[in-house]
Amino acid sequence: MALFAFVTLDGALIQARGALVPTWKETFTTSETFLGLITPVGTVGFVAAMVVFGSASGRIDIKRALLAGIAVTAAAALLIGASPTFLLLLAFIGLRGFGTGIFRSLDRTVLSHLYPERRARIFSLHTMAWAIGATAGPLLVTAALWLSGWQLTYLVLALPLVPIFVILWGLDRPATLANEQSLSLADVRDLLGEPGIYGMALALLFVGSIESVFFQWLPYYATELFSRDVANLTLSIYLAAYVPGRFAFSRLAERYRFTDLVVAVGVILVGSLYAMLVLAEGLVVLGLVFVIGFFVSGLFPTLISMGIESRPSFTGPINVVANVAAQTGFFIAPATVGIVADATSIGTAMLLQIGLAVVLTIVALGLKVGPLGSRRSTASE
C-alpha cells in the first residue's frame, strides 16, 4: 500500500509539471528552449539517485532509503511551489527528481521479491497506480489555478506524503529481500550481454522519448488547437488511457511474448501518431490522444518485465538499467522538441514523435527475429 500510494503521488507530481508549462512560460517569461530544460533537469536528479541507490540494492538498508526518498520529495515539492525565479524552479525540480529517484530505484525491487511468480502483472498494476495519479495531476492544476494559483498544486501534493512516511516507518523489512544482489563492475558486462536486458534498454530509450514529449509538450501543443482548459484536458485524456491500458497489459504480458506485444504496439503507434499530428482535427484529435496513451502505457512495464525475467536476482540493477535508458530519452527528447519548436513551431516539432515510433518498431522487430525470436519470454514461464 505504501509503495502504490507513493507512486500514485509521483505520477501526479510529474504530470502537474507538464500541465504547468504554459503557465510557467507566462509567469517567468521564458522561451520554449528554456522550457525544454524542465524535464531534463528532473531527469538528471532522478538518474543520479537511480544509479547510486538502485545498483546498491543488495547492500543498503532499503527501508531507510525509501523513507529518505519520501522526505526529500516532500521538501522539494514545497520548494517548487515557493520558487521565485525560473532558475530556482529548475533546481528544485532536480531535487524532486533525486528524491523520487531514491524511492523508485528500490520500489520494484521490493515488489519483485514479494511477488516472484506474478512480476509482469504486479509491475503493470504498480504503473497503473502511477497512471491514476498522473491523470489527476493536470486536473489538480486546473483546480489550483481556478482557486488560487499554481503554487497550491505542490502544497496539496506534498501533504499526503507525510502519512505514507509514517506508514512505511512502522513496517518491517521483507525477509525475501535477502536474495537481492547488488551490481558490481564485473556484473555490468554480463548483464548487458543478455538479449532481454540490452533489448529492453534500447527499446526503453525510445519509449522514454515518446512519453516524455507528451508529458511535457502535449498541453502546450494543444493550445494551438483548443482553449487553455481543453488543452490541459488533453494530457488528462492521454494519461487516463494509461489506467485501462496498463490493466490490459497486465493480462496480455502473461499470455503473449514480450517482443510480439512491443512490435504490435509499435505498428499501432506509427499509424495513430501520424493520424493525430497530420490528418485529424477537432474532437478526433482527443480520441487519438486516448488511443495513443492506451498503447504507450503498456510498453514500460512489458519491457522491464522482459529484462527482469532474464536475471530475476538482479532486479534492482536491472531496474536501474531500465530507468536510465528511459530517462535518457526523457533528457534528450523534450529539450530537442523545445529547440525545434523555437526554430519552427510546436506543430512541426511534435512530428518527431512519428520518427521515434518508427525506430521503436524497427528495434522490436530486430529483437523478435533476432536474439529473442526463439524464446517464449513471458512472465507465465
Side-chain angles (χ1 to χ4, degrees):
M1 288 177 61
L3 297 180
F4 274 58
F6 181 90
V7 81
T8 301
L9 287 171
D10 175 35
L13 281 164
I14 291 176
Q15 300 314 324
R17 184 179 68 192
L20 282 168
V21 168
T23 300
W24 285 340
K25 178 178 173 60
E26 296 175 357
T27 301
F28 299 109
T29 318
T30 190
S31 68
E32 283 94 344
T33 297
F34 287 104
L35 288 170
L37 296 176
I38 292 170
T39 297
V41 166
T43 297
V44 169
F46 186 88
V47 170
M50 272 275 170
V51 171
V52 172
F53 290 88
S55 60
S57 58
R59 60 176 180 268
I60 63 174
D61 187 323
I62 288 181
K63 178 181 172 179
R64 288 185 180 180
L66 292 172
L67 290 170
I70 297 172
V72 174
T73 299
L78 293 173
L79 290 170
I80 290 172
S83 299
T85 67
F86 187 70
L87 285 178
L88 282 174
L89 179 78
L90 288 178
F92 296 142
I93 286 173
L95 180 63
R96 203 281 307 169
F98 186 82
T100 302
I102 296 173
F103 195 98
R104 298 306 308 278
S105 69
L106 300 166
D107 57 355
R108 284 194 185 91
T109 300
V110 178
L111 290 172
S112 177
H113 289 286
L114 286 175
Y115 302 97
E117 304 300 325
R118 302 166 63 193
R119 282 192 192 93
R121 185 175 184 186
I122 292 300
F123 286 170
S124 288
L125 294 175
H126 184 236
T127 52
M128 187 178 77
W130 180 93
I132 292 171
T135 303
L139 299 177
L140 178 60
V141 169
T142 301
L145 291 173
W146 183 71
L147 291 172
S148 175
W150 67 266
Q151 296 87 347
L152 179 62
T153 305
Y154 287 93
L155 175 62
V156 171
L157 291 174
L159 291 178
L161 291 167
V162 176
I164 297 174
F165 184 96
V166 173
I167 291 170
L168 190 60
W169 180 278
L171 297 176
D172 295 327
R173 184 179 187 269
T176 52
L177 288 176
N179 297 324
E180 177 66 15
Q181 298 184 42
S182 296
L183 185 67
S184 66
L185 291 177
D187 295 321
V188 174
R189 181 179 297 179
D190 185 35
L191 283 180
L192 294 180
E194 286 278 353
I197 295 174
Y198 71 68
M200 170 199 73
L202 185 59
L204 283 176
L205 171 64
F206 298 101
V207 173
S209 296
I210 293 169
E211 285 194 308
S212 62
V213 170
F214 275 122
F215 291 168
Q216 174 157 334
W217 290 110
L218 182 58
Y220 190 83
Y221 167 74
T223 58
E224 302 290 317
L225 308 174
F226 307 104
S227 67
R228 174 67 62 85
D229 289 342
V230 176
N232 275 345
L233 184 61
T234 59
L235 184 56
S236 288
I237 291 171
Y238 174 79
L239 292 164
Y242 272 47
V243 179
R246 283 181 165 165
F247 181 79
F249 276 85
S250 73
R251 301 301 182 89
L252 293 172
E254 295 182 328
R255 299 180 183 180
Y256 299 99
R257 293 184 181 183
F258 294 131
T259 50
D260 289 347
L261 286 176
V262 179
V263 170
V265 170
V267 172
I268 292 169
L269 286 178
V270 172
S272 300
L273 284 165
Y274 182 81
M276 173 196 157
L277 297 170
V278 179
L279 303 177
E281 296 180 357
L283 295 178
V284 177
V285 172
L286 300 181
L288 287 167
V289 165
F290 186 90
V291 171
I292 292 166
F294 182 93
F295 286 101
V296 169
S297 72
L299 289 171
F300 188 90
T302 298
L303 287 164
I304 197 171
S305 297
M306 181 179 77
I308 289 174
E309 286 297 315
S310 299
R311 299 290 290 273
S313 62
F314 283 93
T315 297
I318 292 170
N319 187 42
V320 173
V321 172
N323 279 279
V324 169
Q327 294 297 316
T328 300
F330 271 66
F331 184 84
I332 297 170
T336 302
V337 167
I339 293 170
V340 175
D342 238 356
T344 57
S345 69
I346 186 61
T348 300
M350 289 293 284
L351 294 176
L352 293 173
Q353 293 285 71
I354 300 172
L356 290 170
V358 169
V359 177
L360 171 64
T361 306
I362 293 171
V363 169
L365 279 170
L367 292 171
K368 176 177 168 55
V369 303
L372 297 180
S374 61
R375 297 186 182 184
R376 179 171 174 75
S377 53
T378 65
S380 59
E381 294 183 299

